[in-house]
């Protein structure tokens, strides 16, 4: 019979793993103390012939039960258990009394950190220390609390104590207007609007679409982590082929897990037949051009006709409506664009301003893995074939990552 592979456990840094092991050991000692007292009670009962288990046997039993349940082996000392049953305290319990914040106060701080992170105001080590110093100054007198505040490593030890709820990550800058855009009131209004449209027009999932643009430079992935000498000051450079010419890819996905052919806007002043004469034409994209490789009002209007032609086959009747979710780009609210949608029963809803980082599924779910996979394929072409990415092979290089990334499950997740 084939063995079932166990699911790998998440990797925990050594200090946090050590702290978790100490916490688990304390819990096991508490169980062992309770078992010992129960054994003593049984020995003092009517059945005087009952022989209670000793300290060593109890520690072995608790360790074995823990191993059978979790697969982790934690050694318990019977001598330590002997001190505990006599009322002895652990070093951890004594250390808690010396902590600046009580366990309940620390949990309040944890909840505050999670709340601020949920509102895109994540705290750094320095900001967290400032908040904790403020709490302690109001809790203790000036003589009891140092003017320098808690220790410089306090926030790191705090993280170890609450590693099951908190983690450290590199922050991504978010404009203030984006951070303030998604308020509870705005969020409720958005979902009410969307729910009302779906209900009023009886729009089915296979007629719900989301569209967005993705800018890609011909030099491949923007940044990645690389090795460099420890004594080198300043940035570590990595030579990349290609150039900084921008190519815009318009991607449209459907709530049923499908997608339409992408529209690619190359940088140029005239159409080049070489853009289409590429080996891999699996995508069968719609190709256009613009002086800077951007989308414009004219391109937006032309794209709407393409969208109509590629999606109307899913309609069960000419009177049926379908929904298109877009951002606030100026090409989405010009008269020609909106008139076409009205004439063809296409309901267009624009996301709340400065909120695409929350609601735009393509931004949140699709584009990051797509660019990552594209960078990997681009590196293969550069280092294995010696071919740089350009307009002449852009569709060929994009084809594989596009079809591999836009799977039905991932697309549905974006909605």
């Amino acid at each position: 019979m084939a063995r079932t592979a166990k699911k790998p456990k998440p990797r925990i840094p050594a200090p946090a793993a050590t702290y978790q092991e100490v916490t688990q050991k304390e819990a096991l000692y508490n169980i062992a103390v309770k078992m010992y007292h129960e054994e003593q009670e049984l020995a003092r009962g009517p059945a005087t012939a009952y022989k209670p288990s000793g300290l060593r046997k109890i520690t072995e039993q608790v360790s074995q039960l823990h191993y059978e349940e979790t697969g982790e082996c934690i050694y318990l000392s019977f001598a330590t258990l002997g001190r505990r049953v006599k009322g002895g305290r652990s070093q951890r319990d004594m250390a808690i009394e010396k902590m600046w914040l009580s366990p309940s106060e620390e949990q309040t701080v944890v909840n505050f950190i999670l709340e601020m992170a949920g509102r895109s105001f994540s705290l750094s080590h320095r900001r967290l220390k400032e908040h904790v110093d403020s709490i302690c100054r109001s809790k203790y007198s000036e003589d009891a609390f140092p003017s320098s505040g808690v220790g410089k490593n306090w926030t790191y030890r705090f993280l170890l104590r609450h590693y099951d709820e908190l983690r450290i990550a590199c922050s991504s800058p978010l404009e203030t207007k984006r951070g303030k855009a998604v308020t509870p009131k705005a969020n409720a209004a958005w979902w009410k609007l969307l729910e009302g449209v779906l209900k009023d027009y009886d729009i089915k999932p296979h007629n719900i679409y989301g569209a967005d643009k993705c800018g890609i430079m011909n030099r491949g992935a923007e940044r990645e982590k690389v090795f460099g000498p420890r004594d080198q000051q300043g940035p570590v450079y990595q030579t990349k082929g290609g150039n900084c010419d921008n190519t815009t890819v318009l991607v449209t996905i459907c709530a049923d897990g499908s997608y339409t052919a992408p529209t690619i806007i190359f940088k140029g002043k005239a159409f080049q037949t070489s853009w289409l004469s590429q080996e891999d034409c699996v995508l069968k994209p719609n190709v256009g051009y613009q002086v800077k490789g951007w989308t414009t009002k004219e391109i937006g209007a032309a794209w709407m006709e393409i969208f109509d032609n590629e999606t109307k086959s899913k309609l069960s009747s000419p009177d049926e409506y379908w929904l298109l979710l877009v951002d606030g780009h100026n090409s989405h609210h010009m008269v020609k664009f909106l008139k076409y949608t009205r004439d063809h029963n296409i309901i267009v809803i624009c996301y709340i301003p400065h909120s695409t980082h929350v609601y735009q599924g393509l931004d949140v779910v699709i584009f990051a893995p797509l660019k990552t996979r594209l960078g990997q394929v681009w590196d293969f072409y550069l280092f294995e074939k010696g071919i740089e990415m350009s307009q002449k092979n852009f569709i060929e290089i994009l084809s594989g990552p596009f079809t591999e990334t836009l799977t039905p499950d991932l697309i549905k997740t974006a909605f």
Side-chain angles (χ1 to χ4, degrees):
M1 184 175 180
R3 296 178 60 184
T4 304
K6 292 184 177 181
K7 183 179 180 180
K9 296 181 179 180
R11 182 181 178 185
I12 302 177
T18 302
Y19 185 84
Q20 286 193 346
E21 183 178 348
V22 171
T23 304
Q24 290 178 347
K25 182 176 288 189
E26 289 299 321
L28 294 180
Y29 272 122
N30 292 335
I31 295 174
V33 170
K34 184 178 179 180
M35 289 180 60
Y36 178 82
H37 288 308
E38 290 175 351
E39 289 287 314
Q40 297 302 313
E41 286 293 331
L42 291 174
R44 290 192 290 268
T48 54
Y50 180 79
K51 183 178 180 181
S53 299
L55 297 173
R56 188 188 298 274
K57 186 175 182 180
I58 289 176
T59 55
E60 292 175 352
Q61 289 177 346
V62 173
S63 296
Q64 181 63 27
L65 288 173
H66 179 73
Y67 176 78
E68 292 175 356
E69 291 179 359
T70 64
E72 296 177 348
C73 183
I74 295 182
Y75 170 76
L76 299 180
S77 169
F78 71 92
T80 301
L81 178 59
R83 291 193 297 270
R84 296 291 179 86
V85 298
K86 295 178 182 179
R89 302 171 63 195
S90 67
Q91 293 182 352
R92 180 172 178 269
D93 291 338
M94 291 186 289
I96 289 177
E97 293 185 355
K98 299 179 181 179
M99 292 170 58
W100 293 117
L101 300 179
S102 65
S104 61
E105 290 172 335
E106 285 205 351
Q107 187 58 48
T108 301
V109 174
V110 170
N111 296 337
F112 174 71
I113 293 173
L114 296 176
E115 178 185 351
M116 296 301 290
R119 295 162 53 188
S120 300
F121 290 99
S122 302
L123 302 180
S124 62
H125 282 280
R126 178 171 58 86
R127 293 299 183 191
L128 175 58
K129 183 180 182 301
E130 290 176 356
H131 285 288
V132 173
D133 288 344
S134 177
I135 295 172
C136 291
R137 289 193 178 98
S138 63
K139 180 180 180 181
Y140 301 99
S141 63
E142 294 184 2
D143 296 335
F145 187 71
S147 58
S148 59
V150 296
K152 63 179 182 180
N153 293 324
W154 186 93
T155 55
Y156 293 93
R157 294 194 297 271
F158 176 83
L159 174 65
L160 298 182
R161 292 194 293 272
H162 302 280
Y163 197 84
D164 56 335
E165 296 182 82
L166 303 175
R167 70 183 180 98
I168 289 294
C170 294
S171 64
S172 297
L174 184 67
E175 297 178 27
T176 302
K177 55 188 177 184
R178 284 183 173 269
K180 295 180 178 180
V182 188
T183 62
K185 184 177 180 180
N187 183 66
W190 164 255
W191 291 114
K192 182 178 180 181
L193 169 65
L194 185 60
E195 182 180 2
V197 169
L198 294 176
K199 182 178 180 180
D200 294 343
Y201 293 93
D202 191 25
I203 300 176
K204 303 299 189 296
H206 62 271
N207 288 329
I208 302 175
Y209 295 87
D212 196 16
K213 57 189 177 300
C214 175
I216 300 174
M217 290 189 178
N218 290 345
R219 64 185 179 189
E222 291 296 312
R223 300 178 67 180
E224 62 180 341
K225 293 183 178 180
V226 296
F227 290 95
R230 181 172 293 276
D231 57 354
Q232 177 180 336
Q233 300 295 324
V236 178
Y237 293 103
Q238 182 186 44
T239 302
K240 291 279 190 178
N243 52 51
C244 296
D245 288 349
N246 179 73
T247 300
T248 300
V249 180
L250 298 175
V251 183
T252 306
I253 57 176
C254 180
D256 64 359
S258 61
Y259 60 85
T260 65
T263 297
I264 300 176
I265 310 299
F266 287 115
K267 178 181 179 181
K269 296 182 179 180
F271 187 86
Q272 304 292 327
T273 56
S274 59
W275 295 342
L276 297 179
S277 59
Q278 301 184 29
E279 295 180 6
D280 196 338
C281 294
V282 175
L283 286 182
K284 295 182 173 57
N286 306 291
V287 179
Y289 66 93
Q290 198 268 341
V291 176
K292 294 185 178 180
W294 299 345
T295 55
T296 62
K297 296 179 181 180
E298 294 74 17
I299 291 176
W303 173 85
M304 176 49 67
E305 297 183 22
I306 296 173
F307 170 78
D308 179 23
N309 293 330
E310 293 188 350
T311 59
K312 63 184 179 183
S313 60
K314 290 186 178 181
L315 300 177
S316 57
S317 68
D319 297 330
E320 191 174 5
Y321 288 85
W322 66 104
L323 175 65
L324 176 62
L325 303 173
V326 296
D327 59 20
H329 191 270
N330 58 11
S331 63
H332 298 150
H333 49 76
M334 64 176 296
V335 175
K336 188 176 180 180
F337 181 94
L338 296 177
K339 186 178 184 302
Y340 188 95
T341 61
R342 178 180 290 273
D343 294 342
H344 293 78
N345 294 342
I346 303 173
I347 306 299
V348 178
I349 297 182
C350 180
Y351 295 107
I352 300 172
H354 313 300
S355 67
T356 53
H357 63 290
V358 175
Y359 300 114
Q360 174 62 278
L362 284 162
D363 263 351
V364 178
V365 179
I366 303 295
F367 287 157
L370 173 61
K371 286 189 174 182
T372 299
R373 182 59 184 141
L374 179 62
Q376 295 171 350
V377 175
W378 182 89
D379 284 344
F380 173 79
Y381 270 76
L382 180 63
F383 296 112
E384 298 295 331
K385 296 185 177 182
I387 301 174
E388 296 181 356
M389 184 162 66
S390 65
Q391 294 178 342
K392 295 182 179 180
N393 60 13
F394 182 88
I395 298 176
E396 177 185 343
I397 295 177
L398 176 67
S399 179
F402 191 94
T403 54
E404 292 171 11
T405 303
L406 274 73
T407 60
D409 290 340
L410 189 64
I411 292 174
K412 291 178 181 178
T413 303
F415 284 91

